[in-house]
Each structure stands twice: as C-alpha cells, then as structure tokens.
Amino acid sequence: QVQLVESGGGSVQAGGSLRLSCAASGKPSGNYCMAWFRQTPGKEREGVAAINIRDRNTYYADSVKGRFTVSRDNVKNTLYLQMNGLKPEDTAMYYCSAGPFVCGGLPRSIAFGYWGQGTQVTVSS
C-alpha cells in the first residue's frame, strides 16, 4: 500500500516558479512509475511528467518540456516537480500518482492505482 501527500502549490504570476513535492509512505519497491497529472474543471486528467524509480528515465508532456523537471529523492521517498516559466494555462489541480510498472512514456491516468489528494497551482497573467 502506497500513500501519497502533495504539497507546494500556490499562486504565482506568469513567469514564476513553484516546486511541488509528493511524500510517499509505504515505500514502492521494484519497478515503479511515478507521475504528475493535472486537471481543470470539466476536463480529463492530463499527464504532465513521469519518472521510473529504478532507472530514473523521465517523460514529459510537450506542453511542459523545457520548463518542468520531475525528480525523485529515494532517500527521502519524495517525488518533486520543479515548474519554471509558469503560464496561466498551467493553472490546475496537480496530482501525484504511483503504479507498479515501468513508464514506457507518459502513461494514462487509468494505469495508476495510487493517488494523492492534489495541490492547487494558480498562475495569473
């Protein structure tokens, strides 16, 4: 059983930065994919970035490449999303997720069995 708790959301102006954290309890073992998704009202949950715990390969949505960086501290058992150059269209609820498989790219949300409660990111122009 894996429990995920996000933090670090907030309100920033366009061009600003935020770092989201996702603390995991019940440390995943073996091949695990961890990812960040985001969702706005009335829209489907969108994959933003993913990382394989074992080999640390990363994957990004085209809309965030070059601006966002996903990483994981295996000692602290924490997933991060560094978000730079934020745009108003990045405004969303951001969710952390985990699943016992290898990320072959940016997986769909249905693949993940573990989710955090979400943290709100609001970017003003």
Side-chain angles (χ1 to χ4, degrees), residues 33-36 48-52 57-60 70 103 105-107 112:
C33 177
M34 296 193 74
W36 289 98
V48 174
I51 184 170
N52 280 320
N57 283 344
T58 57
Y59 308 90
Y60 296 94
V70 62
C103 309
L106 202 58
F112 292 89

Side-chain angles (χ1 to χ4, degrees), residues 2 12 29 31 41 44 50 52 54-56 60 62 70 74 79 82-84 87 92-93 95 98 105 114 117 122-123:
V2 176
V12 296
S29 61
N31 282 326
E44 290 189 3
N52 280 320
R54 182 164 287 182
D55 60 23
R56 297 181 183 250
Y60 296 94
D62 288 343
V70 62
N74 285 345
L79 181 74
Q82 178 66 44
M83 304 185 294
N84 299 327
K87 304 175 181 180
M93 184 72 79
Y95 297 91
Y114 302 108
Q117 82 289 350
T122 302
V123 185

Side-chain angles (χ1 to χ4, degrees), residues 16-17 38 60 62-69 82-90 94:
S17 299
R38 63 188 182 187
Y60 296 94
D62 288 343
S63 58
V64 306
K65 280 180 183 176
R67 300 188 298 123
F68 290 10
T69 303
Q82 178 66 44
M83 304 185 294
N84 299 327
L86 282 162
K87 304 175 181 180
E89 52 264 43
D90 294 318
Y94 283 71

Side-chain angles (χ1 to χ4, degrees), residues 1-82:
Q1 187 74 12
V2 176
Q3 292 184 324
L4 306 171
V5 179
E6 302 98 334
S7 61
S11 297
V12 296
Q13 290 191 328
S17 299
L18 283 173
R19 188 175 80 156
L20 306 183
S21 299
C22 173
S25 61
K27 185 175 182 178
S29 61
N31 282 326
Y32 253 75
C33 177
M34 296 193 74
W36 289 98
F37 285 77
R38 63 188 182 187
Q39 189 171 25
T40 54
K43 292 190 176 181
E44 290 189 3
R45 201 165 284 192
E46 171 195 23
V48 174
I51 184 170
N52 280 320
I53 288 181
R54 182 164 287 182
D55 60 23
R56 297 181 183 250
N57 283 344
T58 57
Y59 308 90
Y60 296 94
D62 288 343
S63 58
V64 306
K65 280 180 183 176
R67 300 188 298 123
F68 290 10
T69 303
V70 62
S71 62
R72 175 176 163 84
D73 186 326
N74 285 345
V75 174
K76 294 183 178 180
N77 210 16
T78 300
L79 181 74
Y80 300 101
L81 185 68
Q82 178 66 44

